[in-house]
Amino acid sequence: MKTIGYAAQSTVSPLAPFSFERRDLRPNDVAMEILYCGVCHSDLHMSHNDWGWTTYPIVPGHEIVGRVIEVGREVKRFKVGDAVAVGCMVDSCQVCDQCRKGEEQLCRQGMTMTYSSPDRVTGEMTHGGYSKHLVVREEFVLRVPDALDLSRAAPLLCAGITTYSPLRTWNVGPGSRVGVIGLGGLGHMAVKLASGLGAAVTVLSRSADKEADARSLGADALLISTDLEAMTKAQSSFDLIIDTVPVKHDLNPYLPLLDIDGTLVVVGQVGPLDELITFPLLLGRRRVAGSPIGGIAETQELLDFCARKNVLPECEMIHMDEINDAFKRMVRSDVRYRFVIDMSSLPKARS
Ligand code: NAP
Ligand code: ZN
């Protein structure tokens, strides 16, 4: 199937129109027309090869929502016309202990990512959701519940699951005290989801600019991370802190904010950490952890939870040709709180 998307050709080239082929359907494949795709900070990191393993050309995009247009002969759960979604991964080994318990993101052989990852059958690089069509094996396709507004659901597929998964791993619920560092795409979902799960939520931001937003998203308070007095007062007051900052930064100021047995979970990919001061870790039996996206079953649980609780990302809709400006604005944190590309703005592919 011929399709069209936007790709970066090198670390310095802007994203530009790119024609390419989607594979012929395998028996267990679902083909979808993409309607919306969210813009994650990882798309920007990967387009710029910030992590050193990008293969060019790269078609980014892993917050994908659309409709089924064709199914392979063995597909059981989907039919043409269904509203479906795809997140950060499109395949895994399916047989290791992690895959068998629904944690495909932790697959022992490594998950196949939605873009810039070798396909497990052909070895060709996968291409993501900044495009008109996608072909994905059935096991990695999510069902979008009817109650979810399709035009706002896309960011749940990465920003949503990446913050929901640690909230579930660390059993957040009524009575939990959750801190969220950085109020961006992931951060604002962390606030909405933690608050939806019944937790008391505090945003830790660089300034007070987002205080009103933080409250309207469901936070009880905003703490300015450079306000030493306020940070001292907040010591031992969180069970879980989710750190979504996308650049290298010092974790030490945040450790004393955790209560005994509290966990600071880093979800931003920020490279090597500065040295950690061990006393706050030892004395409070505190932990620093990481967390990658979430499994397929948990992602479906999240979509169903959001439909039930009417939790939706705050989105700014853009056209595909605005993506380079959107990347620049994301670096300046000038988005409230997730860009979503309307794929009808892409020209139709010539078949
Ligand atoms: P984003 O929308 O740009 O939000 C990041 C937020 O961090 C900003 O809104 C800002 O909040 C804060 N921030 C930005 N620059 C900063 C700086 N120089 N110093 C301190 N704080 C800063 O990004 P995102 O899409 O949420 O992604 C966040 C990170 O998570 C990225 O590194 C991304 O690659 C990573 N990620 C990881 C996973 C995973 O599986 N673990 C999945 C998706 C994304 P304030 O203005 O409130 O300070
Ligand atoms: Zn992402």
Side-chain angles (χ1 to χ4, degrees), residues 268-295:
Q269 213 302 39
V270 296
L273 295 174
D274 282 336
E275 280 180 23
L276 290 180
I277 301 169
T278 38
F279 263 134
L281 287 177
L282 269 53
L283 296 179
R285 207 162 57 191
R286 299 171 171 108
R287 282 176 290 248
V288 174
S291 185
I293 50 171

PDB file of all heavy atoms in Angstrom, residues 268-295:
ATOM      1  N   GLY A 268      11.323  10.525  32.025  1.00  0.00           N
ATOM      2  CA  GLY A 268      12.003  11.269  30.965  1.00  0.00           C
ATOM      3  C   GLY A 268      13.299  10.554  30.611  1.00  0.00           C
ATOM      4  O   GLY A 268      13.984  10.016  31.494  1.00  0.00           O
ATOM      5  N   GLN A 269      13.631  10.525  29.311  1.00  0.00           N
ATOM      6  CA  GLN A 269      14.884   9.883  28.913  1.00  0.00           C
ATOM      7  C   GLN A 269      15.956  10.967  28.932  1.00  0.00           C
ATOM      8  O   GLN A 269      16.079  11.744  27.995  1.00  0.00           O
ATOM      9  CB  GLN A 269      14.733   9.287  27.515  1.00  0.00           C
ATOM     10  CG  GLN A 269      15.524   8.019  27.278  1.00  0.00           C
ATOM     11  CD  GLN A 269      17.033   8.125  27.495  1.00  0.00           C
ATOM     12  OE1 GLN A 269      17.517   8.785  28.405  1.00  0.00           O
ATOM     13  NE2 GLN A 269      17.795   7.463  26.676  1.00  0.00           N
ATOM     14  N   VAL A 270      16.713  11.034  30.012  1.00  0.00           N
ATOM     15  CA  VAL A 270      17.602  12.180  30.206  1.00  0.00           C
ATOM     16  C   VAL A 270      19.073  11.794  30.242  1.00  0.00           C
ATOM     17  O   VAL A 270      19.924  12.618  30.559  1.00  0.00           O
ATOM     18  CB  VAL A 270      17.230  12.956  31.496  1.00  0.00           C
ATOM     19  CG1 VAL A 270      15.847  13.546  31.358  1.00  0.00           C
ATOM     20  CG2 VAL A 270      17.318  12.088  32.734  1.00  0.00           C
ATOM     21  N   GLY A 271      19.389  10.545  29.916  1.00  0.00           N
ATOM     22  CA  GLY A 271      20.796  10.147  29.903  1.00  0.00           C
ATOM     23  C   GLY A 271      21.323   9.957  31.306  1.00  0.00           C
ATOM     24  O   GLY A 271      20.556   9.768  32.244  1.00  0.00           O
ATOM     25  N   PRO A 272      22.666  10.016  31.466  1.00  0.00           N
ATOM     26  CA  PRO A 272      23.253   9.740  32.772  1.00  0.00           C
ATOM     27  C   PRO A 272      22.740  10.728  33.821  1.00  0.00           C
ATOM     28  O   PRO A 272      22.583  11.916  33.539  1.00  0.00           O
ATOM     29  CB  PRO A 272      24.754   9.955  32.544  1.00  0.00           C
ATOM     30  CG  PRO A 272      24.937  10.036  31.076  1.00  0.00           C
ATOM     31  CD  PRO A 272      23.633  10.380  30.456  1.00  0.00           C
ATOM     32  N   LEU A 273      22.483  10.205  35.034  1.00  0.00           N
ATOM     33  CA  LEU A 273      22.033  11.077  36.113  1.00  0.00           C
ATOM     34  C   LEU A 273      23.238  11.661  36.833  1.00  0.00           C
ATOM     35  O   LEU A 273      24.297  11.041  36.883  1.00  0.00           O
ATOM     36  CB  LEU A 273      21.211  10.274  37.119  1.00  0.00           C
ATOM     37  CG  LEU A 273      19.888   9.697  36.617  1.00  0.00           C
ATOM     38  CD1 LEU A 273      19.267   8.804  37.676  1.00  0.00           C
ATOM     39  CD2 LEU A 273      18.937  10.831  36.241  1.00  0.00           C
ATOM     40  N   ASP A 274      23.036  12.841  37.415  1.00  0.00           N
ATOM     41  CA  ASP A 274      24.059  13.371  38.305  1.00  0.00           C
ATOM     42  C   ASP A 274      24.186  12.420  39.494  1.00  0.00           C
ATOM     43  O   ASP A 274      23.309  11.614  39.754  1.00  0.00           O
ATOM     44  CB  ASP A 274      23.640  14.756  38.811  1.00  0.00           C
ATOM     45  CG  ASP A 274      23.871  15.813  37.742  1.00  0.00           C
ATOM     46  OD1 ASP A 274      24.721  15.593  36.875  1.00  0.00           O
ATOM     47  OD2 ASP A 274      23.179  16.848  37.785  1.00  0.00           O
ATOM     48  N   GLU A 275      25.287  12.594  40.234  1.00  0.00           N
ATOM     49  CA  GLU A 275      25.464  11.726  41.406  1.00  0.00           C
ATOM     50  C   GLU A 275      24.310  11.908  42.377  1.00  0.00           C
ATOM     51  O   GLU A 275      23.890  13.032  42.638  1.00  0.00           O
ATOM     52  CB  GLU A 275      26.757  12.112  42.118  1.00  0.00           C
ATOM     53  CG  GLU A 275      27.961  11.519  41.447  1.00  0.00           C
ATOM     54  CD  GLU A 275      29.253  11.894  42.159  1.00  0.00           C
ATOM     55  OE1 GLU A 275      29.197  12.231  43.360  1.00  0.00           O
ATOM     56  OE2 GLU A 275      30.293  11.854  41.495  1.00  0.00           O
ATOM     57  N   LEU A 276      23.824  10.792  42.914  1.00  0.00           N
ATOM     58  CA  LEU A 276      22.761  10.888  43.913  1.00  0.00           C
ATOM     59  C   LEU A 276      23.385  10.947  45.300  1.00  0.00           C
ATOM     60  O   LEU A 276      24.354  10.239  45.585  1.00  0.00           O
ATOM     61  CB  LEU A 276      21.848   9.665  43.834  1.00  0.00           C
ATOM     62  CG  LEU A 276      20.962   9.557  42.594  1.00  0.00           C
ATOM     63  CD1 LEU A 276      20.127   8.290  42.669  1.00  0.00           C
ATOM     64  CD2 LEU A 276      20.055  10.777  42.466  1.00  0.00           C
ATOM     65  N   ILE A 277      22.811  11.768  46.170  1.00  0.00           N
ATOM     66  CA  ILE A 277      23.264  11.797  47.561  1.00  0.00           C
ATOM     67  C   ILE A 277      22.563  10.646  48.273  1.00  0.00           C
ATOM     68  O   ILE A 277      21.332  10.543  48.245  1.00  0.00           O
ATOM     69  CB  ILE A 277      22.924  13.158  48.208  1.00  0.00           C
ATOM     70  CG1 ILE A 277      23.602  14.280  47.406  1.00  0.00           C
ATOM     71  CG2 ILE A 277      23.366  13.187  49.664  1.00  0.00           C
ATOM     72  CD1 ILE A 277      23.150  15.664  47.774  1.00  0.00           C
ATOM     73  N   THR A 278      23.354   9.763  48.883  1.00  0.00           N
ATOM     74  CA  THR A 278      22.760   8.511  49.351  1.00  0.00           C
ATOM     75  C   THR A 278      21.986   8.639  50.668  1.00  0.00           C
ATOM     76  O   THR A 278      21.087   7.857  50.919  1.00  0.00           O
ATOM     77  CB  THR A 278      23.841   7.427  49.509  1.00  0.00           C
ATOM     78  OG1 THR A 278      25.016   8.033  50.018  1.00  0.00           O
ATOM     79  CG2 THR A 278      24.145   6.772  48.194  1.00  0.00           C
ATOM     80  N   PHE A 279      22.340   9.639  51.525  1.00  0.00           N
ATOM     81  CA  PHE A 279      21.672   9.678  52.838  1.00  0.00           C
ATOM     82  C   PHE A 279      20.142   9.724  52.762  1.00  0.00           C
ATOM     83  O   PHE A 279      19.477   8.936  53.432  1.00  0.00           O
ATOM     84  CB  PHE A 279      22.204  10.839  53.694  1.00  0.00           C
ATOM     85  CG  PHE A 279      23.281  10.379  54.646  1.00  0.00           C
ATOM     86  CD1 PHE A 279      24.457  11.085  54.793  1.00  0.00           C
ATOM     87  CD2 PHE A 279      23.085   9.209  55.403  1.00  0.00           C
ATOM     88  CE1 PHE A 279      25.443  10.629  55.656  1.00  0.00           C
ATOM     89  CE2 PHE A 279      24.064   8.767  56.267  1.00  0.00           C
ATOM     90  CZ  PHE A 279      25.245   9.477  56.398  1.00  0.00           C
ATOM     91  N   PRO A 280      19.563  10.606  51.924  1.00  0.00           N
ATOM     92  CA  PRO A 280      18.094  10.601  51.879  1.00  0.00           C
ATOM     93  C   PRO A 280      17.536   9.257  51.424  1.00  0.00           C
ATOM     94  O   PRO A 280      16.473   8.840  51.880  1.00  0.00           O
ATOM     95  CB  PRO A 280      17.757  11.690  50.843  1.00  0.00           C
ATOM     96  CG  PRO A 280      18.988  12.486  50.680  1.00  0.00           C
ATOM     97  CD  PRO A 280      20.142  11.622  51.048  1.00  0.00           C
ATOM     98  N   LEU A 281      18.285   8.567  50.545  1.00  0.00           N
ATOM     99  CA  LEU A 281      17.817   7.252  50.086  1.00  0.00           C
ATOM    100  C   LEU A 281      17.855   6.243  51.229  1.00  0.00           C
ATOM    101  O   LEU A 281      16.874   5.556  51.510  1.00  0.00           O
ATOM    102  CB  LEU A 281      18.714   6.745  48.947  1.00  0.00           C
ATOM    103  CG  LEU A 281      18.555   7.419  47.589  1.00  0.00           C
ATOM    104  CD1 LEU A 281      19.573   6.838  46.601  1.00  0.00           C
ATOM    105  CD2 LEU A 281      17.155   7.236  47.043  1.00  0.00           C
ATOM    106  N   LEU A 282      19.006   6.199  51.916  1.00  0.00           N
ATOM    107  CA  LEU A 282      19.178   5.231  53.004  1.00  0.00           C
ATOM    108  C   LEU A 282      18.219   5.508  54.154  1.00  0.00           C
ATOM    109  O   LEU A 282      17.490   4.617  54.602  1.00  0.00           O
ATOM    110  CB  LEU A 282      20.614   5.315  53.547  1.00  0.00           C
ATOM    111  CG  LEU A 282      21.684   4.428  52.948  1.00  0.00           C
ATOM    112  CD1 LEU A 282      21.759   4.557  51.443  1.00  0.00           C
ATOM    113  CD2 LEU A 282      23.040   4.764  53.569  1.00  0.00           C
ATOM    114  N   LEU A 283      18.228   6.744  54.607  1.00  0.00           N
ATOM    115  CA  LEU A 283      17.508   7.037  55.847  1.00  0.00           C
ATOM    116  C   LEU A 283      16.002   6.923  55.678  1.00  0.00           C
ATOM    117  O   LEU A 283      15.304   6.571  56.617  1.00  0.00           O
ATOM    118  CB  LEU A 283      17.899   8.428  56.368  1.00  0.00           C
ATOM    119  CG  LEU A 283      19.373   8.532  56.759  1.00  0.00           C
ATOM    120  CD1 LEU A 283      19.711   9.939  57.244  1.00  0.00           C
ATOM    121  CD2 LEU A 283      19.730   7.514  57.853  1.00  0.00           C
ATOM    122  N   GLY A 284      15.509   7.234  54.504  1.00  0.00           N
ATOM    123  CA  GLY A 284      14.057   7.146  54.318  1.00  0.00           C
ATOM    124  C   GLY A 284      13.633   5.883  53.590  1.00  0.00           C
ATOM    125  O   GLY A 284      12.472   5.737  53.234  1.00  0.00           O
ATOM    126  N   ARG A 285      14.597   4.975  53.370  1.00  0.00           N
ATOM    127  CA  ARG A 285      14.344   3.774  52.562  1.00  0.00           C
ATOM    128  C   ARG A 285      13.632   4.158  51.267  1.00  0.00           C
ATOM    129  O   ARG A 285      12.656   3.558  50.846  1.00  0.00           O
ATOM    130  CB  ARG A 285      13.526   2.749  53.365  1.00  0.00           C
ATOM    131  CG  ARG A 285      13.766   1.321  52.902  1.00  0.00           C
ATOM    132  CD  ARG A 285      13.332   0.301  53.908  1.00  0.00           C
ATOM    133  NE  ARG A 285      11.933   0.431  54.272  1.00  0.00           N
ATOM    134  CZ  ARG A 285      11.348  -0.216  55.294  1.00  0.00           C
ATOM    135  NH1 ARG A 285      12.082  -1.026  56.035  1.00  0.00           N
ATOM    136  NH2 ARG A 285      10.081  -0.045  55.560  1.00  0.00           N
ATOM    137  N   ARG A 286      14.128   5.273  50.695  1.00  0.00           N
ATOM    138  CA  ARG A 286      13.492   5.786  49.470  1.00  0.00           C
ATOM    139  C   ARG A 286      14.081   5.102  48.251  1.00  0.00           C
ATOM    140  O   ARG A 286      15.188   4.557  48.309  1.00  0.00           O
ATOM    141  CB  ARG A 286      13.720   7.303  49.375  1.00  0.00           C
ATOM    142  CG  ARG A 286      13.107   8.076  50.542  1.00  0.00           C
ATOM    143  CD  ARG A 286      13.551   9.522  50.505  1.00  0.00           C
ATOM    144  NE  ARG A 286      12.842  10.340  51.456  1.00  0.00           N
ATOM    145  CZ  ARG A 286      13.375  10.834  52.589  1.00  0.00           C
ATOM    146  NH1 ARG A 286      14.639  10.561  52.919  1.00  0.00           N
ATOM    147  NH2 ARG A 286      12.654  11.588  53.378  1.00  0.00           N
ATOM    148  N   ARG A 287      13.373   5.196  47.143  1.00  0.00           N
ATOM    149  CA  ARG A 287      13.818   4.529  45.913  1.00  0.00           C
ATOM    150  C   ARG A 287      13.792   5.488  44.728  1.00  0.00           C
ATOM    151  O   ARG A 287      12.903   6.343  44.649  1.00  0.00           O
ATOM    152  CB  ARG A 287      12.871   3.376  45.559  1.00  0.00           C
ATOM    153  CG  ARG A 287      13.066   2.128  46.375  1.00  0.00           C
ATOM    154  CD  ARG A 287      12.017   1.103  45.992  1.00  0.00           C
ATOM    155  NE  ARG A 287      10.711   1.554  46.466  1.00  0.00           N
ATOM    156  CZ  ARG A 287      10.024   0.963  47.443  1.00  0.00           C
ATOM    157  NH1 ARG A 287      10.518  -0.092  48.035  1.00  0.00           N
ATOM    158  NH2 ARG A 287       8.861   1.436  47.821  1.00  0.00           N
ATOM    159  N   VAL A 288      14.741   5.270  43.814  1.00  0.00           N
ATOM    160  CA  VAL A 288      14.670   5.928  42.507  1.00  0.00           C
ATOM    161  C   VAL A 288      14.451   4.820  41.487  1.00  0.00           C
ATOM    162  O   VAL A 288      15.154   3.810  41.512  1.00  0.00           O
ATOM    163  CB  VAL A 288      15.970   6.699  42.185  1.00  0.00           C
ATOM    164  CG1 VAL A 288      15.932   7.249  40.754  1.00  0.00           C
ATOM    165  CG2 VAL A 288      16.174   7.831  43.177  1.00  0.00           C
ATOM    166  N   ALA A 289      13.461   4.991  40.632  1.00  0.00           N
ATOM    167  CA  ALA A 289      13.116   3.932  39.673  1.00  0.00           C
ATOM    168  C   ALA A 289      12.927   4.539  38.288  1.00  0.00           C
ATOM    169  O   ALA A 289      12.946   5.758  38.120  1.00  0.00           O
ATOM    170  CB  ALA A 289      11.826   3.240  40.121  1.00  0.00           C
ATOM    171  N   GLY A 290      12.772   3.676  37.302  1.00  0.00           N
ATOM    172  CA  GLY A 290      12.417   4.115  35.952  1.00  0.00           C
ATOM    173  C   GLY A 290      11.192   3.342  35.504  1.00  0.00           C
ATOM    174  O   GLY A 290      10.798   2.361  36.155  1.00  0.00           O
ATOM    175  N   SER A 291      10.592   3.764  34.414  1.00  0.00           N
ATOM    176  CA  SER A 291       9.419   3.041  33.903  1.00  0.00           C
ATOM    177  C   SER A 291       9.223   3.327  32.420  1.00  0.00           C
ATOM    178  O   SER A 291       9.196   4.486  32.011  1.00  0.00           O
ATOM    179  CB  SER A 291       8.180   3.468  34.693  1.00  0.00           C
ATOM    180  OG  SER A 291       7.062   2.712  34.320  1.00  0.00           O
ATOM    181  N   PRO A 292       9.130   2.280  31.606  1.00  0.00           N
ATOM    182  CA  PRO A 292       8.880   2.476  30.169  1.00  0.00           C
ATOM    183  C   PRO A 292       7.410   2.229  29.833  1.00  0.00           C
ATOM    184  O   PRO A 292       6.837   1.225  30.241  1.00  0.00           O
ATOM    185  CB  PRO A 292       9.735   1.374  29.533  1.00  0.00           C
ATOM    186  CG  PRO A 292       9.666   0.246  30.525  1.00  0.00           C
ATOM    187  CD  PRO A 292       9.396   0.853  31.902  1.00  0.00           C
ATOM    188  N   ILE A 293       6.801   3.073  29.115  1.00  0.00           N
ATOM    189  CA  ILE A 293       5.390   3.002  28.658  1.00  0.00           C
ATOM    190  C   ILE A 293       4.556   2.053  29.514  1.00  0.00           C
ATOM    191  O   ILE A 293       4.509   2.212  30.739  1.00  0.00           O
ATOM    192  CB  ILE A 293       5.293   2.724  27.137  1.00  0.00           C
ATOM    193  CG1 ILE A 293       6.152   1.546  26.684  1.00  0.00           C
ATOM    194  CG2 ILE A 293       5.657   3.974  26.378  1.00  0.00           C
ATOM    195  CD1 ILE A 293       5.904   1.106  25.237  1.00  0.00           C
ATOM    196  N   GLY A 294       3.901   1.063  28.936  1.00  0.00           N
ATOM    197  CA  GLY A 294       3.103   0.090  29.679  1.00  0.00           C
ATOM    198  C   GLY A 294       2.716  -1.006  28.714  1.00  0.00           C
ATOM    199  O   GLY A 294       2.863  -0.840  27.496  1.00  0.00           O
ATOM    200  N   GLY A 295       2.193  -2.107  29.224  1.00  0.00           N
ATOM    201  CA  GLY A 295       1.817  -3.238  28.366  1.00  0.00           C
ATOM    202  C   GLY A 295       0.512  -2.972  27.626  1.00  0.00           C
ATOM    203  O   GLY A 295      -0.186  -1.993  27.886  1.00  0.00           O
TER     204      GLY A 295
END
